[in-house]
Amino acid sequence: MTARTVFFLSDGTGITAEAFGNAILAQFDIAVRRVRLPFVDTPDKAHQALRQINHVCETEGQRPLVFSTLVDREVLEVIRTGCHGMLMDTFATFVQPLEQELGVKSLHRVGRFADVSQSREYHDRIEAINFSLAHDDGQSDRDLQSADVILVGVSRSGKTPTSLYLAMQHGLKAANYPLIPEDFERRQLPPALLAWRHKLFGLSINPQRLAEIRSERRPGSRYASLENCRMEVSEAEAMMRRSGIRWLSTTTKSIEEIATTILQELHPQRLGY
Amino acid sequence: MTARTVFFLSDGTGITAEAFGNAILAQFDIAVRRVRLPFVDTPDKAHQALRQINHVCETEGQRPLVFSTLVDREVLEVIRTGCHGMLMDTFATFVQPLEQELGVKSLHRVGRFADVSQSREYHDRIEAINFSLAHDDGQSDRDLQSADVILVGVSRSGKTPTSLYLAMQHGLKAANYPLIPEDFERRQLPPALLAWRHKLFGLSINPQRLAEIRSERRPGSRYASLENCRMEVSEAEAMMRRSGIRWLSTTTKSIEEIATTILQELHPQRLGY
């Protein structure tokens, strides 16, 4: 059985079509070949997209799957009329019932990023990314009062990717600060953080997993040894408990899962919800 | 008219429910209050979520909207039976027709990030983030041969957020390199990049917009002056044309739009599609 071709069709970036389509496809144990068709925002481009979709249908002898988030009426009409693939018109399915429920007509407007350079939300998001970069790995103590979240944990517990994700996806200013042997000897959180305890969130990790991750970088080092990883993790967790800060284990979690949990627990004020 | 409450309900992170719901809501000119309900993966948690949803229905006197990507059958049953909100069961709508089309049953498995620490794809994504951080702003010339993409452009043209996004969302090793007055005098791309022309992608920007962005950081500086921004942009664009590298203007584009365009143009090899 050849892989099924899947198109993600959108008048914008197609990111929503792709995320949604992939989540649905994860429910099926089948091989797929993915093709992005973004920025299909004119009838001309719709006809081009149709040719590509229908060509696959002919040459592969099975209908490609087409996840669409098209909103432009004219473009949608071209696709609906001529598409030989299995069209999953994800928006249309819900827009009409919502028009009824809300008692207003939908705008049929493309994408949510139009005039992005004028948007406050977008501006804040870029600021958050810059902040998180400048405050990665305890690089700077400056301006921690404007941080929304400060992640703490031992080296390679997942702080950097999580901070960047929180900034990129949620516009949060997320600093991160390593817990190091000096802190363990002093038996206290890094002094710069003591004033911001309510914004702290700890990341911990299984020592075996940590040793694996560190060994990729510095094989055979004391830093990566299981013994040292056990000690650091145990000291770090003891410190988080003593300090009463919330924390979680990242061992089997994705960045997305870690970030979602932090948002649930910390309810950062700047977040819209 | 009070804002309509919208729930994003999922047995995983809810990121797909949220992205999908927000994209649909962008089609309506209404005020909304958003509530995330992630990790609803047991009937008990489903009953808790129901109480929260139905409470809003009572106190606000209008049905909340509920975007769900639930896949667990038991959880879904609890919600379907008891939900007083307007339930948009986004997966169910497409899973059944897909089962018919594909001739296989769906797995009803939660999330796509299970056992993430064991996944090669996830490992590569974290590696890509580390690479992009280490190669931000021309910090390192080392290992550029393993870069998937190298962005070039004047300071504040959008290179850093775009590189991090490409790494975070697409697992691409995205380096970025500033074009500076020295390069303009030499009338050549930075020497370290000459061997990697096929991976280069240029970002440019409208000089007025650039002056605004730079002025936020260094108001009144020569760096931020319109005159200097005009000169740098004009030199950079001339250099990109001479070098025959692809480029775009980021002025009115979001990170997502820039990244999608780069993927379309460059077709990086490591990308699955």
Side-chain angles (χ1 to χ4, degrees):
Chain A
M1 182 87 178
T2 52
R4 186 70 74 125
T5 300
V6 181
F7 290 96
F8 302 110
L9 177 61
S10 171
D11 23 31
T13 61
I15 290 168
T16 305
E18 202 177 332
F20 187 76
N22 279 328
I24 300 252
L25 290 170
Q27 299 303 315
F28 293 94
D29 207 0
I30 57 159
V32 295
R33 184 179 77 90
R34 298 174 172 87
V35 183
R36 279 190 198 103
L37 297 175
F39 306 129
V40 179
D41 52 7
T42 64
D44 259 12
K45 291 186 197 165
H47 282 292
Q48 277 178 40
L50 265 192
R51 273 194 292 278
Q52 209 174 332
I53 293 167
N54 293 345
H55 178 73
V56 162
C57 194
E58 270 178 46
T59 55
E60 296 183 357
Q62 55 184 3
R63 295 205 289 175
L65 312 179
V66 183
F67 288 95
S68 150
T69 53
L70 293 171
V71 294
D72 184 283
R73 284 177 222 264
E74 275 186 272
V75 171
L76 201 47
E77 195 47 38
V78 172
I79 299 292
R80 278 186 187 149
T81 311
C83 179
H84 298 165
M86 180 187 181
L87 181 61
M88 278 158 289
D89 188 356
T90 65
F91 276 16
T93 312
F94 299 103
V95 164
Q96 216 198 325
L98 271 171
E99 285 183 340
Q100 290 210 330
E101 173 71 21
L102 299 169
V104 292
K105 280 277 162 200
S106 71
L107 305 167
H108 285 268
R109 110 185 124 187
V110 175
R112 57 193 175 105
F113 296 114
D115 294 310
V116 79
S117 65
Q118 305 304 319
S119 138
R120 184 79 217 166
E121 189 188 336
Y122 188 75
H123 174 272
D124 289 350
R125 195 174 152 216
I126 299 293
E127 276 301 287
I129 294 171
N130 290 332
F131 182 95
S132 295
L133 266 180
H135 291 79
D136 182 38
D137 203 30
Q139 271 179 71
S140 169
D141 296 346
R142 276 189 52 210
D143 202 21
L144 282 179
Q145 74 271 18
S146 70
D148 298 300
V149 183
I150 305 170
L151 301 182
V152 295
V154 301
S155 163
R156 298 282 137 190
S157 54
K159 301 184 300 298
T160 296
T162 305
S163 303
L164 292 174
Y165 184 86
L166 286 167
M168 185 84 76
Q169 294 299 321
H170 298 287
L172 291 181
K173 293 184 172 176
N176 77 77
Y177 228 91
L179 296 179
I180 57 175
E182 223 174 78
D183 303 313
F184 303 143
E185 280 163 31
R186 219 179 29 235
R187 296 177 57 81
Q188 254 209 340
L189 289 168
L193 304 186
L194 291 174
W196 313 110
R197 206 171 297 226
H198 58 290
K199 310 192 216 183
L200 297 185
F201 198 97
L203 302 187
S204 193
I205 184 169
N206 171 292
Q208 263 89 4
R209 178 80 192 117
L210 182 61
E212 281 168 34
I213 295 172
R214 288 184 172 184
S215 292
E216 278 190 41
R217 301 234 133 190
R218 298 203 218 151
S221 65
R222 170 155 169 71
Y223 165 80
S225 71
L226 182 56
E227 189 198 350
N228 180 58
C229 288
R230 275 204 183 112
M231 183 278 287
E232 285 194 30
V233 168
S234 145
E235 290 280 359
E237 292 186 359
M239 183 178 291
M240 295 178 201
R241 281 196 198 92
R242 272 200 312 273
S243 316
I245 67 171
R246 282 150 296 188
W247 61 281
L248 60 76
S249 166
T250 64
T251 312
T252 60
K253 289 195 169 66
S254 66
I255 305 174
E256 285 79 359
E257 290 168 329
I258 301 168
T260 302
T261 305
I262 292 171
L263 294 179
Q264 268 193 305
E265 295 276 330
L266 223 52
H267 293 296
Q269 302 211 325
R270 266 177 16 101
L271 198 68
Y273 56 110
Chain B
M1 182 89 178
T2 50
R4 185 69 74 125
T5 300
V6 181
F7 290 95
F8 302 110
L9 177 61
S10 171
D11 23 32
T13 60
I15 290 169
T16 305
E18 201 177 331
F20 187 77
N22 278 328
I24 300 252
L25 290 171
Q27 298 303 315
F28 292 94
D29 207 0
I30 57 159
V32 295
R33 184 178 77 90
R34 296 175 174 86
V35 183
R36 278 190 199 102
L37 297 174
F39 306 129
V40 178
D41 53 6
T42 64
D44 260 13
K45 291 187 197 165
H47 283 291
Q48 277 178 41
L50 265 191
R51 273 193 292 277
Q52 210 175 329
I53 294 167
N54 293 344
H55 178 73
V56 161
C57 195
E58 270 178 45
T59 53
E60 297 184 356
Q62 55 184 3
R63 295 205 291 175
L65 312 180
V66 183
F67 288 95
S68 150
T69 53
L70 292 171
V71 293
D72 184 283
R73 284 177 222 265
E74 276 187 89
V75 171
L76 201 47
E77 195 46 39
V78 171
I79 299 293
R80 278 186 186 148
T81 311
C83 179
H84 298 166
M86 179 187 183
L87 181 61
M88 276 156 292
D89 188 356
T90 65
F91 276 17
T93 311
F94 300 103
V95 163
Q96 218 198 326
L98 271 172
E99 285 183 340
Q100 291 210 329
E101 173 71 22
L102 299 170
V104 293
K105 281 276 162 200
S106 71
L107 305 166
H108 285 268
R109 119 186 118 185
V110 175
R112 59 196 173 100
F113 295 113
D115 295 311
V116 79
S117 65
Q118 305 304 320
S119 137
R120 183 80 218 166
E121 189 188 335
Y122 187 74
H123 174 274
D124 289 350
R125 196 174 151 215
I126 299 292
E127 276 302 287
I129 295 171
N130 291 331
F131 182 95
S132 295
L133 266 179
H135 292 79
D136 182 38
D137 203 31
Q139 270 179 72
S140 169
D141 295 345
R142 276 189 53 212
D143 203 22
L144 282 180
Q145 74 270 19
S146 70
D148 298 298
V149 182
I150 305 170
L151 302 182
V152 295
V154 300
S155 163
R156 298 284 137 189
S157 54
K159 300 184 301 298
T160 295
T162 305
S163 303
L164 292 173
Y165 184 87
L166 286 167
M168 184 86 74
Q169 294 299 320
H170 298 288
L172 292 180
K173 293 184 172 175
N176 76 77
Y177 228 89
L179 296 180
I180 56 175
E182 223 174 80
D183 304 312
F184 304 142
E185 279 163 32
R186 219 180 29 235
R187 296 178 57 81
Q188 253 209 342
L189 289 168
L193 305 185
L194 291 174
W196 313 112
R197 204 171 298 227
H198 58 292
K199 310 193 218 183
L200 297 184
F201 199 98
L203 301 187
S204 193
I205 184 169
N206 171 292
Q208 264 89 5
R209 178 78 192 119
L210 182 61
E212 281 169 34
I213 295 173
R214 289 184 173 184
S215 292
E216 278 190 39
R217 303 234 132 190
R218 300 203 217 151
S221 66
R222 166 153 173 72
Y223 166 80
S225 71
L226 182 55
E227 188 198 350
N228 180 58
C229 289
R230 275 203 183 114
M231 184 279 288
E232 285 194 32
V233 168
S234 143
E235 292 280 358
E237 292 186 357
M239 183 178 292
M240 295 179 204
R241 280 197 200 93
R242 271 200 313 271
S243 317
I245 67 171
R246 283 149 296 187
W247 60 281
L248 60 74
S249 166
T250 64
T251 312
T252 59
K253 289 196 170 64
S254 67
I255 304 174
E256 285 80 357
E257 289 168 330
I258 301 168
T260 302
T261 305
I262 292 171
L263 294 179
Q264 268 194 307
E265 296 276 330
L266 224 51
H267 293 295
Q269 304 212 325
R270 263 172 23 96
L271 200 67
Y273 57 105

